[in-house]
Amino acid sequence: SLGRHRTEELIHKIAQKEKALIISGFAKGIDQTAHHSALLCGLDTLAFLPFGIEKIDTKWSSRPRFYYLSETPAASGWESRWAILRNRLIAAFCDVLIVVQSMPDGGSFHTVRFANDYGKPVFALQSAEDHFPGNSVLIERGLARAFKI
């Protein structure tokens, strides 16, 4: 997908400039692509899980430089309430929040709201073809600054 490709590009550019810690909510798609790309580039990653640590796949949990935290009970499954709560942790721990791809009703909006509340800089990838409609909403509402890769 275009979002995954842009994520790979972004992580590669970040890795060329600095030794950053890549943080996400470990959602399938963009988040897991960010972790995978970061590890390939030699960066550490931190995933805030919306489920218990007993539920993480060992193909991830056994990887060097991949760290994960959860505040849910160890055996708990995914629930939307846990996902929203983990978004506040992402916002609290990041220095800068970058939204690569969001839908207008996507979970990224919770993370952006928390990041804005915490005074963190927020950026949303801008696409000339508007492939990322949620990003456009964030930019139009002044919740994120536009950037291009």
Side-chain angles (χ1 to χ4, degrees):
S1 80
L2 181 60
R4 288 182 187 184
H5 178 71
R6 292 288 188 249
T7 300
E8 291 167 348
E9 272 186 284
L10 177 62
I11 297 296
H12 183 72
K13 285 186 177 194
I14 290 170
Q16 289 177 333
K17 293 183 179 188
E18 59 186 89
K19 199 73 172 160
L21 173 66
I22 304 302
I23 301 172
S24 86
F26 202 61
K28 290 180 182 173
I30 301 296
D31 289 8
Q32 289 187 9
T33 298
H35 289 290
H36 181 73
S37 298
L39 293 171
L40 289 176
C41 290
L43 298 176
D44 291 339
T45 70
L46 174 60
F48 285 104
L49 306 176
F51 48 81
I53 59 171
E54 292 177 4
K55 299 291 185 178
I56 193 164
D57 189 324
T58 56
K59 78 176 184 178
W60 284 100
S61 64
S62 61
R63 292 174 115 172
R65 298 185 326 275
F66 175 76
Y67 305 98
Y68 54 96
L69 294 170
S70 176
E71 63 181 345
T72 69
S76 65
W78 188 95
E79 294 182 32
S80 61
R81 67 183 174 126
W82 297 127
I84 293 169
L85 288 174
R86 70 89 211 264
N87 289 344
R88 82 184 197 298
L89 295 174
I90 296 166
F93 276 74
C94 73
D95 291 327
V96 175
L97 180 66
I98 300 174
V99 178
V100 173
Q101 181 178 5
S102 181
M103 296 307 289
D105 58 351
S108 302
F109 277 69
H110 294 289
T111 314
V112 167
R113 182 175 49 88
F114 288 123
N116 281 315
D117 288 349
Y118 300 154
K120 304 289 179 100
V122 179
F123 296 90
L125 179 62
Q126 190 170 36
S127 168
E129 299 81 24
D130 202 24
H131 289 291
F132 313 130
N135 294 26
S136 297
V137 171
L138 290 170
I139 295 163
E140 289 166 8
R141 292 183 183 169
L143 300 171
R145 290 181 273 178
F147 84 97
K148 293 182 181 181
I149 297 177

